[in-house]
Amino acid sequence: MILGLDTGSRTLTEAEHLLHDLVKGLGLPAGTVACTHFVRTAEGPPHVACSVTVPDAPDPAALPGGAGTALGGHRSGPAALPEGAARAAAAHTAGTGGRLVLFPGRDELTGTLGVADVVARSGIDRVVVLAQTEDPAPGTPLVTNDHVRPQWRDGEVVLFAMPAAGGRLMPAEVPDPTPCCADHG
């Protein structure tokens, strides 16, 4: 069962904190799948909603106040937030969208690992290198930077990677990106 949750988060960092707090507050086990989703609703600006796998319907008192929620066919919350929650839950359920923040094996993906080890140790189904048509060789080293955020794509959990120095790869999403225009006027 997938719970969609939308508090109107403006940043990925804000949404990730929400997910960590939610998973802890609900007492969900390690390996729970929790995602962020960029959503656009009929009202308000684009923002980040969340989805999380839950064993059953959570107590509404355990959810953040003022949040929009979607669980199965039930929606609740203020303004357009339930719509954002429903979009996040639908994408997660279909495996067609969502950036996985928490997932099975996430804590095992530290340091440098071979591509085959990344897949074997986690819920990641495949590693894809940006702008390349071939999958990387199983032994290709991937420098995780202790920040791995795969995405749902066509029913698979896919980690997008990019080339790094020395024939290695690294996740395409870096932990602390430099904001655009930070180094020039």
Side-chain angles (χ1 to χ4, degrees):
M1 157 176 298
I2 308 298
L3 170 68
L5 185 74
D6 191 350
T7 61
S9 298
R10 302 293 295 150
T11 68
L12 288 172
T13 301
E14 184 181 335
E16 284 197 22
H17 286 294
L18 175 66
L19 282 172
H20 285 284
D21 290 346
L22 179 67
V23 167
K24 182 178 178 182
L26 294 177
L28 298 175
T32 293
V33 177
C35 304
T36 60
H37 305 261
F38 292 106
V39 296
R40 189 175 280 248
T41 58
E43 299 175 33
H47 58 279
V48 186
C50 301
S51 64
V52 62
T53 303
V54 293
D56 48 35
D59 178 357
L63 302 176
T69 62
L71 185 65
H74 179 74
R75 295 183 186 189
S76 65
L81 295 178
E83 179 186 351
R87 289 175 188 242
H92 183 150
T93 299
T96 57
R99 174 182 161 273
L100 285 74
V101 175
L102 301 172
F103 55 94
R106 175 186 152 247
D107 294 339
E108 301 293 319
L109 303 181
T110 60
T112 301
L113 302 166
V115 167
D117 291 328
V118 169
V119 172
R121 292 181 184 193
S122 72
I124 295 172
D125 298 310
R126 190 169 166 218
V127 176
V128 173
V129 181
L130 297 176
Q132 294 189 10
T133 57
E134 301 290 322
D135 286 346
T140 304
L142 187 133
V143 181
T144 69
N145 296 314
D146 300 339
H147 183 86
V148 177
R149 300 292 186 271
Q151 299 177 27
W152 282 111
R153 287 290 184 262
D154 300 323
E156 288 187 311
V157 177
V158 177
L159 177 63
F160 290 97
M162 59 186 177
R168 299 177 300 172
L169 299 172
M170 62 185 283
E173 181 179 324
V174 296
D176 295 308
T178 302
C180 179
C181 305
D183 62 345
H184 54 86

